[in-house]
Each structure stands twice: as C-alpha cells, then as structure tokens.
C-alpha cells in the first residue's frame, strides 16, 4: 500500500511538472525560438525629398519600435525616387520576380498587373486578424477580386492652390465656372502674373490639370470604359476635353517655359508669387505651409476646379483617392510574414496617422475623429474634400501604364504646339487598343502569365 502511494505521488509530481512546463511554454518557447531565428526584411520607400523628411522620420520611428520590441527582426531601408520606382525599377523587379520584401506601391492599374502575376502578398486575413479593415476610409484601390493586396498609408486630393494676396489685390473671386476661370486668367496676365504655374518636363505633372478638365467633360466612368473598349479617346467628349486643355495653352495661361521645367519648379512659382495658381495635390501643402514659401501661411488657399457647362462629368467632384500605399512580396517566408504583421500593427495606428497629418501634411487613410492641430491650409483642403459631390482616382490608376505614358507624350506635344487635340487623341487610342489586346494575353507587359507558358 505504501509502495503504491509512493508511486502515485511520483506520477502526480511528474504530471504536474509536465503541465507546469506546458502552461509556461507560450512565452518560454517564443523567447527560445526568437533567440536563434533572425529575420531580415528589405523595405523600399520614396520619402527622399526635403519636404518628405517628416514622413521618413515617422517610418523610421515605426521600424525602430518594431525592432526594439522584437530583436529577431531587422529592416534594411532603401530610398528611391518615386517616379523611378513606379515607372522603372519596381516594374522590372516584378517581371523577374524579385521585388523588395516591403515596398511602396500604387493601387489600381499597376497593382492589377502585379497581382495577376502572383507577385503580391494577400493581406486580407492579416488585416482581419489585426482588426484593421474597417478603420480605413477606403481600401478600394487595393482590392482585386475581393482580396486585399496593399494598404494605403495616406490619401491625397488635387485642386487649385492659389495666392490669396494676389487675388485680393486684383479683386478676384474664386472662379466657379470655366468662363470665370478664363476671365481670371486674362486679368492675371494683364497684371503681369502667370495664371497657372506649370512644369511639363515631367509629363505626369502636366497630366494633373488635364485629368480634371477631361473628367469634367467625359465623367469618370468613361475612363473605365477605355480599358474595356466601351469608350474611345477619339469620342467627341474626349476630343472636347483635349481642346479645352489646348485652349489654356493658346491663351498662354501656363508657364511659357513649362517643357523645360521639372516638377520641383512648379511649387516655387506659387510660393514666390510668380504664378497666381497651381493645380497640384495635397502632398504639396507641406511646402506651401512652411518657411520655404515666401507667402505667409495664411496667404495660400485651396479650391476645387471649376465646373464646365455642358460637361458629362460630375462638375463638383474632386480627384481624391487612397492609392499610395504599402505592398509586400508574395515570396515571404512564414517568419517574415509574422514580422510583417508586427510592422503593420505598429505602422497603421491612429497615433501614426494623426502624426502624419499634423506634421507631414498627409491626408489620413484612417477614419480619424480628432482633427485638432491641423493647419489652416489643410483645413481648407479637408473641407473642400468633404463638400465635394464625389471622388474619383487619377487616370493612371485606371488605364494601363503604357497608355499613361502615351498621354504624357501627347500632352507635351500639345504644349509644344506640334500636335492637334485630334492627333493626340488618335495616337493615344492606338496605344489603348494594343494595351487592351495585350491584357487578354499577358499578365505583365514584358511576359506571359504563368498559365500561358
């Protein structure tokens, strides 16, 4: 009997030891596992400009926090020009299948190509696990076939930034119609000011104001129809859009030497009082609201592009979207994906979004309730966005990249006076036809989809 009791006691002690060890395995095993596993993630960003220093500092702070909380994770940061990344480097990497682990990516047309090629990590389950899906203003630009393949880190809106002091000096009201805009341009020219500061050496810059003029004429659905073949660039409404853009050129409403100037020169024309207006995005608000500007912070305002009578588009809408985001390679290992979850949890928070809004002048992709501490200019932008009758994405988030490139060429030809609106429309449609046909055969422009090989 005594022997049985001793044996039973020993068994109970052994069982208790096993149960105790199992009960503490969670943290102990994690710590042991982390002690020998090491994960490195390459991360490419485009925050290399002087005006983007705050946004880079925010990113670096998040990475440092993630590394300090998880000593098994290391990030390797690479900064690159946004245009080079989007138009050249990232595309080349996607073709051969070796993109960075984490990278900035543009939603819409670009992303569709990458997803069809199998290059993007599906983030749907991760965002649901982190309870983040419903916190965003919109994930539409990064959803393909019901799955999420990118996360917007901020939004943007485009409109007319203007010099309030010049407008007040000349007694000009904010133009609300196309005719009022043309009249204001004439008065500004007569007073010695460039109506619209414009630079066109970088073709995408010239495309911003063209985009809104065209949307006012044709409506955003017509842009989507170009990809399906339901509409064409040579349709009458599109031709009228090109003609309206050409009218501004003929009236000398733009900077005369626009084709020789880069994007960096555009904002300075407004900031230094040489141009009365600039059509650009909210990302430039940081420049206009700082000491870089020779105009007081209260001297720069923002308003929506005027309505165009007879146009088929939404005349009080705004080009605003959440298409600039973060993507992840589909080739990540399980450990890397776990590290990505930790990065996402630290980067996409209300505190980070508020910081980026207040100091980086980046429109939040989160639904923020507390908007205190926002500059007067940002308040104007947010107010105009909230009062707009609709929002739509930029043309290059809809049409194929090769088509977007041809649009840039066509606009430069219009500015240079070497092509007519009709000729530009025909040339773009030729590229559109080829791009639409290629979409049926290719996943990426430079190679067939895996199931075609």
């Amino acid at each position: 009997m005594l022997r049985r009791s001793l044996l039973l006691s020993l068994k109970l002690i052994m069982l208790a030891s096993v149960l105790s060890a199992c009960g503490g395995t969670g943290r102990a095993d994690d710590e042991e596992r982390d002690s020998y596993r090491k994960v490195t993630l390459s991360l490419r960003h485009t925050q290399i400009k002087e005006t983007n220093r705050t946004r880079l500092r925010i990113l670096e702070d998040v990475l440092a926090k993630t590394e300090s909380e998880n000593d098994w994770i290391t990030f390797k940061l690479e900064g690159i020009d946004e245009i080079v990344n989007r138009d050249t480097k990232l595309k080349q990497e996607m073709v051969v299948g070796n993109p960075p682990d984490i990278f900035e990516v543009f939603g819409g047309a670009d992303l569709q190509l990458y997803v069809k090629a199998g290059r993007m990590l599906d983030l749907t389950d991760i965002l649901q696990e982190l309870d983040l899906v419903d916190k965003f203003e919109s994930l539409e630009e990064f959803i393909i076939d019901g799955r999420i393949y990118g996360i917007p880190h901020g939004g943007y809106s485009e409109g007319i930034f203007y010099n309030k002091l010049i407008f007040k000096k000349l007694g000009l009201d904010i133009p609300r119609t196309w005719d009022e805009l043309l009249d204001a341009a004439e008065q500004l020219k007569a007073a010695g000011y460039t109506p619209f500061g414009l630079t066109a050496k970088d073709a995408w810059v010239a495309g911003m104001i063209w985009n809104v003029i065209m949307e006012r004429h044709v409506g955003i659905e017509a842009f989507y129809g170009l990809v399906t073949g339901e509409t064409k660039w040579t349709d009458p409404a599109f031709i009228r859009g090109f003609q309206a853009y050409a009218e501004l050129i003929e009236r000398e409403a733009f900077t005369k030497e626009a084709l020789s100037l880069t994007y960096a020169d555009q904002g300075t024309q407004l900031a230094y009082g040489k141009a009365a207006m600039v059509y650009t995005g909210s990302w430039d608000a940081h420049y206009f609201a700082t000491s870089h500007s020779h105009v007081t912070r209260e001297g720069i305002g923002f308003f929506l592009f005027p309505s165009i009578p007879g146009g088929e588009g939404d005349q009080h809408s705004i080009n605003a979207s959440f298409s600039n985001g973060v993507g992840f390679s589909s080739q990540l290992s399980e450990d890397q994906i776990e590290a990505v979850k930790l990065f996402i949890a630290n980067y996409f928070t209300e505190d980070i979004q508020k910081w980026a809004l207040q100091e980086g002048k980046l429109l939040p992709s989160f639904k923020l309730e507390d908007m205190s501490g926002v500059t007067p200019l940002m308040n104007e932008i947010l107010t105009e966005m909230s009062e707009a009758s609709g929002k739509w994405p930029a043309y290059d988030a809809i049409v194929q990249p090769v088509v977007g490139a041809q649009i840039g060429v066509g606009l430069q030809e219009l500015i240079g006076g070497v092509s007519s609106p009709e000729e530009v429309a025909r040339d773009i449609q030729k590229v559109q036809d080829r791009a639409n046909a290629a979409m049926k055969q290719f996943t990426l422009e430079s190679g067939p989809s895996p199931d075609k090989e």
Side-chain angles (χ1 to χ4, degrees), residues 38-41 66-67 70-75 338-339 342:
K38 297 295 179 184
V39 167
T40 299
L41 289 167
T66 306
E67 288 178 337
N70 308 275
D71 60 7
W72 53 280
I73 300 175
T74 300
F75 293 98
E338 186 174 343
L342 297 170

Side-chain angles (χ1 to χ4, degrees), residues 165-196:
L165 303 180
I166 293 176
F167 268 58
K168 183 178 180 180
K169 176 182 176 181
L170 300 181
L172 295 176
D173 295 324
I174 291 176
R176 296 301 183 185
T177 67
W178 177 252
D179 288 339
E180 290 178 2
L181 182 66
L182 295 180
D183 182 64
E186 293 300 326
Q187 293 187 57
L188 287 163
K189 278 198 309 176
Y193 298 104
T194 299
F196 276 101

Side-chain angles (χ1 to χ4, degrees), residues 276-289:
M277 296 178 286
V278 164
Y279 187 93
T280 188
S282 55
W283 55 85
D284 277 334
H286 180 70
Y287 175 81
F288 297 138

Side-chain angles (χ1 to χ4, degrees), residues 14-29:
M14 291 174 66
L15 179 60
S17 298
V18 172
L19 290 175
S20 176
C22 290
T25 57
R27 188 177 185 83
D29 286 355

Side-chain angles (χ1 to χ4, degrees), residues 248-267:
L248 288 179
I249 298 169
E250 292 165 4
R251 285 175 174 265
E252 298 182 340
F254 296 142
T255 307
K256 291 182 180 179
E257 65 274 22
L259 286 172
S260 64
L261 299 176
T262 62
Y263 170 64
D265 298 312
Q266 182 166 274

Side-chain angles (χ1 to χ4, degrees), residues 392-410:
W392 41 272
Y395 70 93
D396 55 358
I398 300 174
V399 300
Q400 299 91 329
V402 290
V403 178
Q406 183 59 41
I407 290 170
V409 171

